Amino acid sequence: MSDELILQAADIEQWDAQADVVVIGLGAAGVCASIEAQAAGVSVHVLERASGAGGTTALAAGHLYLGGGTRVQKACGIEDSVEDMYNYIMAVTPNPAECEEKIRLYCEQSVDHFNWLVDQGVPFKDSIYEEKAVVQPTDDCLIWSGNEKVWPYSEKATPAPRGHKVQREGEQGGSLLIEVLVKNLETLGATIEYDCGAKALVVDDTGQVVGVSYKQFGEMKTVKADKGVVLACGGFTQNKEMLAEYAPVMTQGVTPYSNPNDKGIGIQFGQALGAGIAHMGGLLVTSAFYPPASMLKGILINKHGKRFVNEDSYHGRTAALSLEQDDGIVYHIADEATYGKPTMMGQELIDGYETVEEIEVALELPQGSLVETMTNYNKHAENGEDPEMHKYRDWIQPLKSPFAVTQLSLGKSFYMGFTLGGLTVSIDGEVLKEDGRVIDGLYAAGACASNIAQDSNGYSSGTCIGESTFFGRRVGKRVAAEV
Ligand SMILES: Cc1cc2nc3c(=O)[nH]c(=O)nc-3n(C[C@H](O)[C@H](O)[C@H](O)COP(=O)(O)OP(=O)(O)OC[C@H]3O[C@@H](n4cnc5c(N)ncnc54)[C@H](O)[C@@H]3O)c2cc1C
């Protein structure tokens, strides 16, 4: 047990405040946990380290991965079922058995969760953005936000778009989500304190978590939690030591991207009490080379001149597989008809070339390697087929001279990422020890807990806020019911 992160209740002479539930962090997970707990009739005291609410959620585009027949899906004529959503998430998740029960529940209650958000006043427009994009630039709601139409997943479940963006133009949906939910929490009467960084958990002599010690404007304070403490204080994207230990690629060319308080303290609190951790190497990484969507009609090659991914994959999957290539070297080859400067991350055009042989020389690829790759690709593309990588037919067309080569290599192209791993928790958010036993009085949700998202290869946009809000709510109800 760490001395710094854990204090003994016996050593607290007088508590500065008291509530039934203390929530650390006011992002998506914290606000949802707090709303449900307060709505269940117990008192909630929120500690937020920043001067305002939102955390990384407020930086987010505001996609939530929801399906099974939401109001928006129906209004847009999209057929979806709980079973297809479940089969899809099970298929993309690297280790689905580990969280099968959570995936099942998340899919079964997805429509209810959407309706709850709507009842809270979170706006979603009954519209779909049809183009392949990372984020819709409009205030449209639905988008294909994962690998649903991408082989082999397209064969495991009937594809449906499930990325639901909060109704705000461009990338500001997350901040609107927070604005609406925090207002509701204030109306419910929760105590919310900003500029309060949690520094330690307080445990009683049975080991139960009974409070939090925190710092506000240089002054140390304590708050007693009669029913429990909820960790909702984000991931560890901004903690260099933890990244070096668990997700080293984030210190080797991938830019960490999240709010500055994303220091992993929730995970450290749990670990100090013997909690287990899961998928700590799991990241969402991206170096999206689309939009423009026409770029998906090009091909991606590695330093051996070989393709390694169906280019129409979700950008997180492509980036994850790109990072696995030798020396992180990846190039994108397009032609006059398909090239467009990537608008999302601005990757640089290396040059234009008349022949494939010239590209081989310029990129120092093995002689003949790209000629073989391109000949093979074009031969099948003439028939709208891609037997090598199974790119979807909409994105297949032969590439003709002159060619445009774009740099997508790690270190030379912008990659960004954030962490997905966290504390092991039960389906109700109880923090679990390595041996599976519950740590009394301690709960976690959002980016500091490991629920559904495991890695970039299997990620779909909207999973993080989807699970942060969904399991955040469950935690709130669970801790409120604590006797
Ligand atoms: C650019 C970007 C875009 C994204 N877009 C999407 C998207 O569209 N859809 C999606 O699903 N996911 C998206 N994500 C990921 C997603 O935003 C996060 O995983 C999710 O918002 C995490 O929610 P959270 O409540 O766990 O954490 P946060 O929203 O980060 O909230 C945690 C809060 O805890 C506070 N805190 C930290 N330490 C302390 C402490 N010691 N004491 C008190 N408070 C503390 C922080 O200040 C913060 O306010 C995106 C991520 C990024 C970086």
Side-chain angles (χ1 to χ4, degrees):
M1 190 183 288
S2 159
D3 290 339
E4 295 162 355
L5 296 173
I6 306 298
L7 302 177
Q8 299 300 321
D11 296 332
I12 310 282
E13 282 176 18
Q14 196 179 353
W15 296 92
D16 295 298
Q18 177 275 335
D20 291 317
V21 180
V22 174
V23 176
I24 306 176
L26 196 56
V31 72
C32 287
S34 302
I35 286 176
E36 289 288 23
Q38 188 80 32
V42 305
S43 60
V44 175
H45 191 124
V46 183
L47 301 172
E48 167 54 55
R49 186 173 168 182
S51 302
T56 304
T57 311
L59 302 176
H63 291 132
L64 288 93
Y65 199 79
L66 301 168
T70 63
R71 184 201 76 209
V72 182
Q73 286 181 316
K74 285 185 177 156
C76 296
I78 302 295
E79 281 192 26
D80 194 14
S81 67
V82 169
E83 221 42 42
D84 279 321
M85 182 178 176
Y86 168 84
N87 288 339
Y88 168 74
I89 299 181
M90 289 295 283
V92 288
T93 303
N95 193 346
E98 215 176 87
C99 55
E100 192 275 338
E101 205 192 342
K102 289 176 181 169
I103 293 173
R104 165 70 65 193
L105 189 80
Y106 183 70
C107 297
E108 282 175 354
Q109 298 187 0
S110 186
V111 170
D112 284 349
H113 185 50
F114 171 84
N115 292 339
W116 181 85
L117 290 162
V118 171
D119 289 346
Q120 291 290 315
V122 179
F124 296 97
K125 192 173 171 183
D126 284 335
S127 62
I128 181 165
Y129 187 77
E130 298 279 6
E131 279 171 55
K132 178 109 172 172
V134 177
V135 180
Q136 51 275 62
T138 61
D139 66 353
D140 291 311
C141 181
L142 269 184
I143 190 167
W144 294 88
S145 72
N147 287 299
E148 300 85 357
K149 282 204 276 192
V150 173
W151 186 90
Y153 313 110
S154 53
E155 294 184 349
K156 307 273 167 70
T158 305
R162 302 193 182 94
H164 288 65
K165 194 178 75 151
V166 177
Q167 187 177 353
R168 182 170 269 185
E169 274 187 18
E171 301 183 30
Q172 304 301 314
S175 58
L176 180 56
L177 176 81
I178 288 293
E179 225 174 279
V180 172
L181 294 178
V182 170
K183 211 171 191 183
N184 295 347
L185 181 61
E186 287 166 355
T187 306
L188 283 168
T191 302
I192 305 174
E193 283 199 290
Y194 294 105
D195 300 297
C196 291
K199 297 291 174 197
L201 297 180
V202 183
V203 298
D204 69 12
D205 53 10
T206 69
Q208 175 162 347
V209 178
V210 293
V212 179
S213 153
Y214 63 101
K215 195 173 188 178
Q216 188 178 34
F217 303 123
E219 196 185 334
M220 290 307 299
K221 295 184 175 178
T222 52
V223 54
K224 187 165 180 287
D226 289 342
K227 287 177 180 283
V229 170
V230 178
L231 304 172
C233 36
F236 60 99
T237 305
Q238 303 299 332
N239 183 320
K240 281 199 181 111
E241 292 75 29
M242 287 177 79
L243 291 178
E245 182 174 357
Y246 298 113
V249 72
M250 292 286 280
T251 62
Q252 295 160 0
V254 177
T255 302
Y257 207 99
S258 65
N259 86 84
N261 294 327
D262 219 29
K263 300 270 189 198
I265 192 152
I267 296 169
Q268 292 170 9
F269 283 152
Q271 284 184 296
L273 290 172
I277 46 177
H279 304 291
M280 293 292 280
L283 302 168
L284 182 281
V285 283
T286 180
S287 182
F289 62 89
Y290 66 88
S294 66
M295 288 288 272
L296 300 167
K297 296 178 180 169
I299 59 169
L300 294 170
I301 57 158
N302 58 22
K303 70 182 273 193
H304 307 294
K306 302 285 176 216
R307 291 173 72 206
F308 57 91
V309 64
N310 24 359
E311 292 83 4
D312 58 338
S313 294
Y314 172 68
H315 56 96
R317 177 172 194 250
T318 302
L321 294 176
S322 296
L323 294 179
E324 286 175 13
Q325 302 309 302
D326 287 348
D327 302 326
I329 292 177
V330 175
Y331 304 107
H332 179 276
I333 320 270
D335 63 6
E336 227 168 16
T338 54
Y339 175 75
K341 171 95 172 159
T343 54
M344 187 85 189
M345 296 191 171
Q347 292 91 339
E348 293 297 329
L349 178 71
I350 296 178
D351 213 340
Y353 302 89
E354 294 296 326
T355 67
V356 178
E357 288 82 355
E358 276 172 35
I359 302 177
E360 285 181 356
V361 173
L363 303 182
E364 298 180 9
L365 305 175
Q367 198 185 351
S369 60
L370 186 58
V371 170
E372 188 185 340
T373 297
M374 197 74 111
T375 308
N376 191 31
Y377 179 76
N378 277 344
K379 184 175 81 185
H380 294 289
E382 294 287 355
N383 304 320
E385 291 167 359
D386 177 20
E388 189 187 3
M389 290 295 160
H390 304 271
K391 183 155 67 167
Y392 189 67
R393 61 178 174 276
D394 285 3
W395 309 114
I396 300 172
Q397 75 184 46
L399 298 170
K400 295 176 183 152
S401 169
F403 303 103
V405 179
T406 300
Q407 178 63 265
L408 286 183
S409 304
L410 180 65
K412 295 193 170 162
S413 170
F414 180 65
Y415 277 77
M416 60 151 267
F418 56 83
T419 62
L420 299 175
L423 298 168
T424 52
V425 289
S426 72
I427 201 162
D428 289 316
E430 297 147 306
V431 177
L432 304 176
K433 291 193 177 179
E434 279 173 10
D435 62 10
R437 280 180 301 144
V438 165
I439 298 177
D440 290 331
L442 191 62
Y443 302 81
C448 59
S450 179
N451 276 305
I452 292 179
Q454 293 184 357
D455 75 353
S456 199
N457 204 338
Y459 189 78
S460 311
S461 278
T463 309
C464 278
I465 299 185
E467 66 168 85
S468 294
T469 51
F470 180 82
F471 290 105
R473 290 180 57 207
R474 284 187 72 80
V475 167
K477 286 188 227 177
R478 170 68 186 82
V479 65
E482 186 63 42
V483 178

